[in-house]
Amino acid sequence: MTTFTERLYQNVQPIWERNHRHPFVQGLGKGTLEKEKFVHYLKQDYVYLIDYAKLFAIGAIKAHNLKTMNTFAAILHDTLHVEMELHRQYAESFGISRHELESTKATPTNVAYTSYMLNIAQNGSLADVVACLLPCAWDYWEIGKLLRKQYGDGLTFNPYANWIETYDSIEFAEGTKSLIQLMDELAEGKPERELAKLEEYFQVTSKYEYLFWEMNDKQLDWPI
């Protein structure tokens, strides 16, 4: 019998395949992405992660047992101290200070994406929280694996090798797997109308992932 996350994975493939083929993502894998685009990404993803981390805090509050609280607490810690530290290290190598990172103003796409997730998380159930935050973690893991498979032989000379290795790491995989398992547990026994709503959240945030790559590739910001 197909699990709920298997259903999510199968149905989201048309979106994720476009994410994976995006010039920004492929530029990371090839090591050819322009420095200015990556700097734009670092700044925007840094302020994105600040709001994304809040989703795990909300998840811990809505958790139904200590095991689930620990899951959210662990991923919250990794987001704040692993992912964001990677951004700080990269930024430093590009001459961007921590103050500059933290004073970055989110673009319209960034604001729309995080506001969508936070609104659903604050007003919805624990399952709603997980459905919103899962695509970012899961697809980054997929991208890490894909880019290593496609371009692993050239990572030694790739300036973005650490980025790829972070999202293809055992640690990141374990955190993502725990969220996938939790999504299946929370979906179990729910009627189709509720499952369809969870899948809608999953699909929409997956589309926002594409828009995020597009925003950084074109270095889009507020037009006024």
Side-chain angles (χ1 to χ4, degrees):
M1 182 177 178
T2 301
T3 66
F4 182 59
T5 55
E6 287 172 342
R7 161 182 161 176
L8 293 178
Y9 184 83
Q10 291 167 4
N11 291 343
V12 82
Q13 286 310 301
I15 300 170
W16 282 10
E17 286 173 6
R18 288 194 64 183
N19 290 352
H20 302 169
R21 294 196 306 267
H22 196 283
F24 190 98
V25 173
Q26 287 297 307
L28 286 171
K30 296 173 184 176
T32 58
L33 183 71
E34 294 94 327
K35 173 183 173 180
E36 294 75 16
K37 292 182 178 181
F38 191 65
V39 167
H40 191 271
Y41 162 81
L42 283 175
K43 291 180 178 180
Q44 288 301 316
D45 202 43
Y46 192 82
V47 294
Y48 167 88
L49 286 172
I50 294 172
D51 279 340
Y52 187 65
K54 294 175 184 177
L55 294 168
F56 295 103
I58 295 171
I61 292 171
K62 297 190 180 229
H64 45 71
N65 55 44
L66 282 173
K67 177 185 175 183
T68 305
M69 287 182 72
N70 277 317
T71 294
F72 281 109
I75 300 176
L76 173 60
H77 181 274
D78 286 346
T79 302
L80 292 173
H81 299 285
V82 178
E83 274 201 86
M84 295 183 76
E85 181 58 27
L86 172 67
H87 282 63
R88 286 189 283 267
Q89 291 174 5
Y90 262 126
E92 185 177 355
S93 70
F94 283 110
I96 306 167
S97 69
R98 180 167 179 162
H99 173 74
E100 189 176 354
L101 277 178
E102 295 180 357
S103 62
T104 297
K105 302 299 182 184
T107 66
T109 297
N110 206 342
V111 171
Y113 187 1
T114 58
S115 296
Y116 177 82
M117 292 190 294
L118 286 169
N119 179 59
I120 290 170
Q122 289 166 343
N123 294 291
S125 67
L126 182 62
D128 295 333
V129 177
V130 179
C132 282
L133 60 80
L134 183 55
C136 180
W138 196 350
D139 201 27
Y140 264 59
W141 180 36
E142 291 292 311
I143 287 170
K145 291 186 292 183
L146 176 68
L147 295 184
R148 184 186 287 275
K149 181 179 179 180
Q150 289 180 317
Y151 306 110
D153 292 343
L155 285 185
T156 302
F157 307 102
N158 187 331
Y160 309 116
N162 286 344
W163 189 95
I164 296 169
E165 289 165 352
T166 294
Y167 296 112
D168 186 42
S169 67
I170 294 173
E171 293 78 11
F172 193 82
E174 289 305 311
T176 304
K177 288 176 184 177
S178 67
L179 288 174
I180 293 170
Q181 181 180 349
L182 179 58
M183 184 78 268
D184 280 328
E185 292 172 1
L186 294 171
E188 189 172 355
K190 288 190 180 296
E192 176 55 32
R193 67 179 182 278
E194 293 186 32
L195 295 179
K197 201 66 180 175
L198 294 174
E199 183 160 15
E200 178 187 342
Y201 298 150
F202 189 88
Q203 291 263 333
V204 169
T205 48
S206 292
K207 291 175 181 178
Y208 268 121
E209 282 293 303
Y210 178 87
L211 293 177
F212 204 83
W213 296 126
E214 186 77 354
M215 169 198 74
N216 287 299
D217 191 53
K218 295 181 178 177
Q219 301 179 66
L220 301 176
D221 207 334
W222 294 95
I224 57 173

